Structure formats: structure tokens, C-alpha cells
């Protein structure tokens, strides 16, 4: 039976059956507005009145929101001003409501001597609730917020409207697509010329100095509020607390409240958004977007050649950090000249000839060094398998590398020396997946023989065999606490099974995929298990209850690989459609799609610091990406067949890759800064 509640602003509005005539609490008539909008329950109240969740009877009971004008103020002038603002909100929604990220105005009318505004219902939570439920935002999440909201704010300002009350409570994340919706235009104002002068409105801490001091607002005033909102979400510190202590002086020291260092580019953007003087801020949303999307380019610095005395030889030696030290100067990875490079390579302990024997530069020019970034170089190749290497995994201490292959064996290697330590035999078919327990005491292997085997990696002893799948086991992953082992199976099974690895007990079976489950990944907090399937979907599960939380769709072919970033804010997926997609696993929002591979993306791995995402493909290459910007950093070539598996060492210094060419390659990661000089 449908429910209804009374609209008496002084009542606590209990919900009652639809045909109830009088409110049992206050005895006021219960009505449906305009014989169309049926109030269901109160959502809250404010200075202007109350807000109700309602149903639009004429639209098959579609949910909507009723705002009731019942201001708790006295005095003719104050009442009139409040009434103007209420009408103003309706006018702004009428103007802006065609935008998909601003609520649509459905109606504005007077009934029973009260004003009502009816608008689109947004199913979701505001960002303050999201902060409380999920914790502080990551840099990537803040960037995504800015990218999403600034495009909306750009349209709002183009219409000459200043919102005047941007804060986390007035930004909602729509549950259906994860998009950010800007709500509550009750304080908004129409721009007259380039500035608005009017009543002092806004929220202390989020509102700019000019807004709270003089009542003047500009587009830059909304941008200040956006910056203050980002600060709150990024730190968990309410700017009102800082405003009480230091007024607007808090914006100078906002970085002191960070829990970890911030990317310099994002830091500069927030610095400019939070300038006390509005003229020093960004003047438009478009300006912020341009900075947000600008490739990272280091500042131009003058390059100076080292001064070499004609009578004194200059020695070059390798530094412990992998740089080349030249006369006390560092040049990341590149010697000062080809002569110097050859000397270092062939005679590392011999001095460079005296300076007069080298051709001196005629003219020095100012140059821009390349950014310092991670690159990878092939360190060694491990051989010994007679089948394709489908899975590689580092032990938690980084001292051992395990590999599972088509030759039905598992090999354990010393990744520092390349020495083969053990060969584990016992599977009767292809070993498709290997995974270390978080304490490193157990190694699990999944096989096409439908079983999971648990090994002692120090002795090579087989500890247990887990049976229960009716088809090949394609994927394995331990929960972060090591209490659960998850396994995914092929098309004849299509299930995920959760095991107690200590007892071998099957805890539960998760069903829902319509094809093979080929990839699994636990979130770092262990609260979510992600599964990728040949049915083109990713499913997110609550591993404690077995509840399916949501299904992510967007890939046009099977999902072969999954990887969470270290803080759990991003889930990467690799597919047979040749793309990598980055998702917000909390909302299901697709953040970006990385393209560049020409074949199936069969493996993914985040570096321990989360700054690099590695992808392996059937195109025989490994690509290194900046997951914050989507920039392709480097393509590694060397394998002669598909790259089937990837794993970073715990210290992030080495990337292991397993391939259909039966080899494992170890790539050494290092920081370089290529320095160029023009000689003429």
C-alpha cells in the first residue's frame, strides 16, 4: 500500500497509509499537492522550510523532491528576502535544469497559502556522507571530482549564475552512474555584469572573503568554495574549524593538514583556487580545467656544462642511486657526451682524456630537461619451463618468485640471482594461477585439473589439495588478512569459491557470471572481491556475506585481468577488447579508458606506490602507464609471445613478466631524467 505524510511544517510527519484523511500526530488534513505530488516522508528542514521525498502520480509514481517554503524567520524584510530566494531557486533550476548534472525543475506553485517547488529526485549520497562512510579522498578521486564538477560549473557560470553555496553537502554522487550532481540553488544569484552585490549568504569556511565581507561574488567565488570543498574531502578537516581559529589565514597553511604529500600539479591548482584575493584565483572553470588537463612539464632551467680544467683529468663514476656523477654534477642516466658514455661502458675506472682533447661546445643554450620518471630496463631472463608462463607471484619478502606454467609445474626462483630453487610437481594439467599467502608461509596453485593445491614454498611439500570446482581453475587470490582464498573457474562451472586455506573448508560459492571467471582481485581492505569474466562484466562482491554489490559493464569482450590500486580507490580491468578501464569501485563510475595495445590485455599490476600501472598483452608487449593522467610512459619489448602475467616486487624496484614464450623476464625500474643540450 502507498504511503503519505502530512505537510504541516511543525509536525514530525509520520508516514501513514495513502487514504488517511488526518495526520495522527497533528490532526492536520493530509493532501496530495496539485492532485499529483504525493509526499512520502520528510527528508529534512532548514531556514526556508522543509524538504520531502514524494511520488509523481502522473509519472507512474516516479520519485521526486518537494521543497516547502515555510521560513522560520520574523520581520517583513527578512520574510520577503527569503521568499525572493525561494523563487530564485525555481528560476535557476528552470534555466539550468536541462543539464544532466543539475536537478530538473518539475513544478513551482502555491497551495494552501504556502509555496512549493518540486524537483527531480537524485538517488545517491552527498560527498560529506561519502567522506564519513569511505574516508578521505585520494588524489585521483579529487582530480575526478574537479574534472566532473568543473564542466557543470562552467555551464552554470555561462548562464550568468553564481551558486554561492558550493560545499560537500551540496554535491551528490548519483548512484546510477557515479556522476556528481550540483544541488541546492537556493542561495544562487544571477550575475549582473561581472559582479554580484547582494545579501551576505554562504557557509563559513567554504565561502570566500569577498562573499562574506562585502556580499560581492564572482565566478572565482564559486571556485574558492570548490577548492575549500576539495580540501575538506582530501584531509577530513572541516574548513570551518580552521576559519574559526585563523579566519582566511588558514588557506596559506592548508598543506600542513595533509596526511601525505600531494602531487605538485594538483597542489598548485588547489593553491590557486584558495587564494584569499579573488583576483589571484582562477577566473573561470575553464582555466582550472586547462591546468588540470595540462601534461606535466617541468620548469625551464638553464643548462651549464661542467667546467673542466685543461690540466686536470675528469673522472666519471657510477653513483649508488644509478645516476652518473660527473665532476660533482648529476645527469640522470645520460653521460655528458658519447665519449664519456663509451668510456664508462668500456673502462669504468679510467679517467676521461683531458678537456682539450674533447671538442668543446661553441655555444650553450637554455634547454628544458625531460621529467624525472620511472622507466624499466631488462635485467635478466629466467628460462627452464617447457610451457607458457601463465602466472608469476613474488613472495611477500621479495626473496622468491613463483611461476606457474603449461608444463604442469611450479618453479621457485631467486629473483636476485636467477637461481632455480625448487620445482613443484603434482598438478596433472596446466598451472594457470599461483598466489602467495600474505604471511608467505603458503603458496596456492590453481590448475586446469580442477583443483587447488597448497604448498610449503620453503620445503616444496604439498600441504593440501582443494577439490570442488567442476571445471578448470583459472584464477586465485588471497584476502589481505590471509583468512580466505578465492578461486574462479571456467565455463563449465562459472563460479567463485571461497575457502578457508588453513582447514581446506569450502566457505561459500558465489554465482552470477554467465561465463568463465578468469580474474579475481581483493580490495586492499578486504571488504570487496572483484571478479572478471568472459561474459564481459566485472562483478563486485561482499566476500563475507556473498552479496553481489554491483556489476560493472563497459568492456565489449572478456575481462582477463583485474588490479586494485594500493589505496583501493581505483580498480583497473584489462580486456580482450584491447583496452584497460579504470573504475571507481565504490560508485561503479568509469573514470577513463586506456588504449594502445593491439591485442588482449591479459595481465595488470599496480606498482606498490600506485604511481605506475603495468599491462601485459597478446601483442607481446608490456606498457607502463601513469594511472593518474592515462599517459603511456614506456613500452617494453623483448618477449616473443603473449605476455600472460605480471608481478611487481614488494619494493617496487622490479617487474616480473611471464610469457607464452616459456620465459620470465625481470625488468629493473629506475628513475631517469634525460638531459639534452644543443651543440653547434
Amino acid at each position: 500500500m502507498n504511503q503519505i505524510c502530512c505537510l504541516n511544517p511543525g509536525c514530525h510527519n509520520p508516514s501513514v497509509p495513502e487514504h488517511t484523511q488526518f495526520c495522527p500526530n497533528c490532526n492536520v488534513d493530509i493532501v496530495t499537492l496539485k492532485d499529483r505530488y504525493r509526499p512520502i516522508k520528510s527528508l529534512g528542514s532548514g531556514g526556508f522550510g522543509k524538504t520531502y521525498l514524494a511520488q509523481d502520480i502522473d509519472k507512474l509514481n516516479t520519485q521526486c523532491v518537494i521543497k516547502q517554503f515555510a521560513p522560520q524567520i520574523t520581520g517583513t524584510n527578512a520574510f520577503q528576502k527569503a521568499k525572493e530566494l525561494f523563487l530564485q531557486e525555481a528560476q535557476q533550476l528552470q534555466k539550468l535544469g536541462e543539464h544532466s548534472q543539475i536537478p530538473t525543475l518539475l513544478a513551482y506553485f502555491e497551495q494552501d497559502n504556502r509555496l512549493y517547488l518540486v524537483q527531480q529526485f537524485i538517488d545517491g549520497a552527498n560527498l560529506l556522507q561519502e567522506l564519513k562512510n569511505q574516508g578521505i579522498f585520494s588524489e585521483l578521486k579529487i582530480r575526478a571530482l574537479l574534472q566532473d564538477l568543473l564542466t557543470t560549473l562552467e555551464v552554470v557560470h555561462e548562464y550568468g549564475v553564481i551558486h554561492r553555496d558550493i560545499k560537500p553537502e551540496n554535491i551528490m554522487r548519483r548512484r546510477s552512474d557515479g556522476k556528481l550532481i550540483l544541488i541546492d540553488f537556493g542561495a544562487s544569484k544571477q550575475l549582473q555584469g561581472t559582479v554580484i552585490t547582494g545579501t551576505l549568504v554562504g557557509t563559513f569556511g567554504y565561502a570566500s572573503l569577498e562573499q562574506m565581507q562585502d556580499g560581492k561574488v564572482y565566478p572565482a567565488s564559486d571556485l574558492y568554495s570548490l577548492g575549500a570543498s576539495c580540501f575538506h574531502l582530501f584531509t577530513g578537516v572541516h574548513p570551518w574549524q580552521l576559519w574559526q581559529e585563523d579566519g582566511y589565514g588558514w588557506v596559506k597553511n592548508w598543506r600542513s593538514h595533509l596526511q601525505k604529500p600531494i602531487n605538485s600539479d594538483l597542489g598548485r591548482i588547489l593553491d590557486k583556487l584558495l587564494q584569499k584575493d579573488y583576483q589571484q584565483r582562477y577566473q573561470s572553470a575553464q582555466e582550472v580545467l586547462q591546468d588540470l588537463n595540462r601534461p606535466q612539464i617541468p620548469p625551464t632551467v638553464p643548462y651549464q656544462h661542467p667546467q673542466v680544467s685543461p690540466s686536470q683529468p675528469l673522472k666519471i663514476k657510477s653513483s649508488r642511486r644509478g645516476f652518473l656523477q660527473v665532476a660533482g654534477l648529476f645527469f640522470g642516466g645520460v653521460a655528458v657526451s658519447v665519449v664519456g658514455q663509451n668510456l664508462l661502458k668500456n673502462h669504468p675506472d679510467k679517467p676521461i682524456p683531458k678537456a682539450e682533447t674533447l671538442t668543446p661546445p661553441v655555444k650553450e643554450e637554455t634547454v628544458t630537461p625531460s621529467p624525472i620518471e620511472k622507466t624499466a630496463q631488462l635485467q635478466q631472463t629466467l628460462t627452464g619451463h617447457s610451457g607458457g608462463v601463465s602466472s608469476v607471484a613474488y613472495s611477500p619478502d621479495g626473496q622468491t618468485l613463483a611461476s606457474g606454467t603449461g608444463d604442469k609445474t611450479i618453479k621457485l626462483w631467486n629473483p636476485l640471482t636467477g637461481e632455480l630453487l625448487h620445482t613443484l610437481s603434482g598438478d596433472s594439467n596446466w598451472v594457470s594461477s599461483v598466489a602467495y599467502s600474505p604471511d608467505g608461509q603458503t603458496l596456492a596453485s590453481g590448475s586446469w585439473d580442477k583443483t587447488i593445491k597448497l604448498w610449503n614454498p620453503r620445503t616444496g611439500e604439498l600441504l593440501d589439495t582443494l577439490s570442488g570446482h567442476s571445471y578448470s581453475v583459472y584464477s586465485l587470490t588471497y584476502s589481505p588478512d590471509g583468512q580466505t582464498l578465492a578461486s574462479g573457474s571456467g565455463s563449465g562451472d562459472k563460479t567463485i569459491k571461497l575457502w578457508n586455506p588453513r582447514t581446506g573448508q569450502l566457505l561459500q560459492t558465489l554465482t552470477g557470471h554467465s561465463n568463465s571467471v578468469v580474474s579475481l582481485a581483493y580490495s586492499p581492505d578486504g571488504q570487496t572481491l572483484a571478479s572478471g569474466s568472459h561474459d564481459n562484466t566485472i562483478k563486485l562482491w561482499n566476500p563475507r556475506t556473498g552479496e553481489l554489490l554491483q556489476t560493472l559493464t563497459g568492456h565489449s569482450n572478456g575481462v582477463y585481468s583485474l588490479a586494485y590500486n594500493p589505496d583501493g580507490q581505483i580498480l583497473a580491468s584489462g580486456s580482450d577488447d584491447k583496452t584497460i578501464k579504470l573504475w571507481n569501485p565504490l560508485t561503479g563510475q568509469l573514470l577513463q579508458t586506456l588504449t594502445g595495445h593491439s591485442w588482449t590485455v591479459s595481465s595488470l599490476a599496480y606498482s606498490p606506490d600506485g604511481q605506475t600501472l603495468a599491462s601485459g598483452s597478446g601483442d607481446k608487449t608490456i606498457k607502463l602507464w601513469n594511472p593518474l593522467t592515462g599517459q603511456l610512459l614506456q613500452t617494453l619489448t623483448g618477449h616473443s609471445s603473449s605476455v600472460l602475467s605480471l608481478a611487481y616486487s614488494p619494493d617496487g624496484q622490479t617487474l616480473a613478466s611471464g610469457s607464452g614464450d616459456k620465459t620470465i623476464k625481470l625488468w629493473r625500474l629506475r628513475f631517469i631524467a634525460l638531459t639534452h643540450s644543443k651543440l653547434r
Side-chain angles (χ1 to χ4, degrees):
M1 179 180 293
N2 290 323
Q3 297 289 300
I4 193 170
C5 70
C6 84
L7 291 169
N8 178 3
C11 178
H12 65 72
N13 313 105
S15 294
V16 294
E18 178 183 7
H19 299 295
T20 304
Q21 185 175 0
F22 300 103
C23 174
N25 180 61
C26 65
N27 207 35
V28 169
D29 286 352
I30 292 179
V31 297
T32 296
L33 294 175
K34 305 286 283 187
D35 292 324
R36 175 174 179 175
Y37 303 109
R38 179 172 54 229
I40 299 173
K41 65 177 181 179
S42 172
L43 294 177
S45 60
F48 287 175
K50 275 194 168 183
T51 303
Y52 302 86
L53 178 64
Q55 291 176 326
D56 186 343
I57 298 172
D58 288 359
K59 289 188 176 181
L60 302 175
N61 291 335
T62 300
Q63 288 187 321
C64 56
V65 171
I66 295 172
K67 284 193 170 185
Q68 177 193 60
F69 179 65
Q72 301 170 7
I73 55 177
T74 59
T76 304
N77 291 337
F79 178 87
Q80 186 59 35
K81 187 61 188 178
K83 187 174 181 179
E84 289 175 7
L85 289 173
F86 193 73
L87 172 61
Q88 186 173 278
E89 179 172 14
Q91 292 171 331
Q92 307 298 22
L93 289 179
Q94 175 71 12
K95 182 186 303 182
L96 300 168
E98 293 300 318
H99 193 283
S100 63
Q101 289 171 254
I102 296 173
T104 301
L105 177 70
L106 303 178
Y108 179 77
F109 54 87
E110 182 177 342
Q111 183 170 323
D112 298 329
N113 297 316
R114 290 197 183 98
L115 292 174
Y116 292 95
L117 180 158
V118 185
Q119 68 182 43
Q120 175 190 12
F121 170 71
I122 305 299
D123 182 19
N126 68 50
L127 295 191
L128 185 61
Q129 294 169 321
E130 190 171 310
L131 175 68
K132 291 177 180 177
N133 293 334
Q134 300 173 13
I136 61 173
F137 283 32
S138 65
E139 281 191 28
L140 191 60
K141 200 170 177 181
I142 290 292
R143 282 182 173 273
L145 181 159
L146 288 169
Q147 191 79 44
D148 199 359
L149 202 60
L150 283 165
T151 55
T152 302
L153 207 52
E154 188 174 14
V155 174
V156 171
H157 291 166
E158 283 177 358
Y159 273 92
V161 175
I162 308 299
H163 188 281
R164 296 202 296 181
D165 200 20
I166 293 175
K167 55 186 177 182
E169 297 98 309
N170 287 339
I171 305 169
M172 292 191 68
R173 192 181 300 280
R174 188 163 52 204
R175 186 167 286 110
S176 61
D177 59 4
K179 290 290 187 181
L180 297 178
I181 313 301
L182 186 58
I183 65 169
D184 200 347
F185 281 76
S188 64
K189 189 78 171 176
Q190 184 70 37
L191 189 66
Q192 302 294 334
T194 58
V195 62
I196 292 173
T197 302
T199 308
L200 302 181
V201 294
T203 303
F204 283 111
Y206 299 109
S208 63
L209 174 64
E210 69 275 5
Q211 182 173 335
M212 301 310 294
Q213 192 174 67
D214 305 319
K216 296 180 179 179
V217 288
Y218 313 81
S221 307
D222 276 351
L223 296 177
Y224 177 94
S225 300
L226 178 58
S229 298
C230 287
F231 166 82
H232 186 183
L233 297 169
F234 201 26
T235 63
V237 179
H238 199 302
W240 161 249
Q241 299 171 0
L242 304 181
W243 187 90
Q244 283 183 304
E245 297 170 5
D246 199 22
Y248 288 94
W250 74 269
V251 299
K252 293 182 179 179
N253 303 311
W254 68 268
R255 291 172 184 259
S256 65
H257 299 278
L258 295 174
Q259 297 184 15
K260 55 184 178 181
I262 187 174
N263 174 275
S264 58
D265 287 327
L266 182 57
R268 283 193 293 270
I269 289 172
L270 293 180
D271 277 337
K272 194 167 181 178
L273 285 171
L274 290 171
Q275 287 294 312
K276 184 177 177 181
D277 183 350
Y278 80 91
Q279 293 178 320
Q280 300 301 315
R281 287 178 225 137
Y282 293 101
Q283 297 302 299
S284 70
Q286 185 180 25
E287 285 184 21
V288 193
L289 284 168
Q290 287 172 349
D291 265 8
L292 191 66
N293 296 320
R294 180 174 290 124
Q296 298 180 17
I297 301 175
T300 299
V301 296
Y303 170 73
Q304 292 184 336
H305 289 283
Q307 299 299 313
V308 182
S309 169
S311 60
Q312 189 174 11
L314 176 66
K315 289 188 177 181
I316 298 181
K317 60 181 180 180
S318 298
S319 77
R320 288 182 297 173
R321 295 187 180 182
F323 287 84
L324 299 181
Q325 187 176 353
V326 185
L329 299 176
F330 286 93
F331 300 84
V334 178
V336 72
S337 67
V338 174
V339 174
Q341 289 178 338
N342 290 336
L343 280 171
L344 183 63
K345 183 190 301 182
N346 300 322
H347 305 284
D349 298 321
K350 292 188 177 182
I352 289 182
K354 294 182 180 180
E356 64 264 32
T357 65
L358 300 175
T359 304
V362 175
K363 183 179 180 180
E364 299 176 5
E365 293 185 2
T366 298
V367 297
T368 304
S370 300
I372 293 178
E373 60 185 21
K374 279 183 182 174
T375 62
Q377 189 173 40
L378 180 60
Q379 186 178 34
Q380 60 179 316
T381 300
L382 309 181
T383 59
H385 280 296
S386 58
V389 182
S390 54
S391 183
V392 290
Y394 271 95
S395 60
D397 63 7
Q399 299 301 304
T400 309
L401 178 69
S403 56
T405 72
D407 63 14
K408 309 176 189 177
T409 70
I410 302 157
K411 292 186 183 294
L412 303 182
W413 311 81
N414 181 328
L416 302 177
T417 65
E419 176 190 1
L420 177 60
L421 303 175
H422 289 291
T423 297
L424 310 182
S425 302
D427 287 295
S428 60
N429 210 322
W430 190 302
V431 179
S432 54
S433 183
V434 291
Y436 271 96
S437 60
D439 62 7
Q441 300 301 305
T442 308
L443 178 69
S445 64
S447 170
W448 286 11
D449 65 11
K450 310 175 188 178
T451 70
I452 301 156
K453 288 183 165 42
L454 303 180
W455 309 82
N456 182 327
R458 297 187 308 279
T459 65
E461 176 190 1
L462 177 60
L463 302 174
D464 202 356
T465 298
L466 311 182
S467 301
H469 281 295
S470 59
Y471 206 79
S472 302
V473 178
Y474 285 148
S475 47
L476 289 175
T477 185
Y478 273 94
S479 60
D481 63 6
Q483 301 301 304
T484 308
L485 176 66
S487 58
S489 183
S491 59
D493 185 318
K494 310 172 192 174
T495 69
I496 302 158
K497 291 185 182 295
L498 304 182
W499 311 81
N500 181 328
R502 296 192 308 274
T503 65
Q505 177 190 2
L506 176 61
L507 302 175
Q508 58 181 314
T509 299
L510 310 181
T511 60
H513 281 295
S514 59
N515 210 325
S516 303
V517 180
V518 290
S519 52
L520 293 170
Y522 265 99
S523 60
D525 63 6
Q527 301 302 304
T528 308
L529 175 67
S531 59
S533 169
H534 282 163
D535 65 11
N536 306 356
T537 71
I538 302 159
K539 292 186 182 294
L540 303 182
W541 311 83
N542 181 327
R544 297 187 308 281
T545 65
E547 176 191 2
L548 176 60
L549 302 176
Q550 58 182 313
T551 299
L552 309 182
T553 59
H555 282 296
S556 60
N557 222 318
V559 180
Y560 276 76
S561 49
L562 293 170
Y564 274 94
N565 75 334
D567 66 7
Q569 300 296 315
I570 305 296
L571 176 65
S573 59
S575 170
D576 200 25
D577 65 12
K578 309 173 188 176
T579 71
I580 302 158
K581 292 186 183 292
L582 303 183
W583 310 82
N584 181 328
L586 304 176
T587 66
Q589 178 189 6
L590 176 61
L591 302 176
Q592 60 179 315
T593 299
L594 311 182
T595 59
H597 282 296
S598 59
W599 205 256
T600 304
V601 180
S602 50
S603 49
L604 290 171
Y606 266 99
S607 60
D609 63 5
Q611 300 301 304
T612 309
L613 175 66
S615 59
S617 170
D619 63 14
K620 310 176 188 178
T621 71
I622 302 160
K623 292 185 183 294
L624 303 183
W625 310 83
N626 181 329
L628 296 176
T629 65
Q631 177 190 6
L632 176 61
L633 303 175
Q634 190 178 7
T635 298
L636 310 181
T637 59
H639 282 295
S640 59
S641 187
S642 300
V643 179
L644 303 175
S645 51
L646 293 171
Y648 273 96
S649 60
D651 64 5
Q653 298 302 305
T654 306
L655 176 68
S657 58
S659 169
D661 64 12
K662 309 175 186 177
T663 71
I664 302 157
K665 292 187 182 294
L666 302 182
W667 309 84
R668 188 66 175 171
L669 302 175
R670 61 194 181 111
F671 287 95
I672 67 165
L674 296 179
T675 304
H676 307 280
S677 61
K678 294 182 180 179
L679 305 179
R680 66 183 185 188

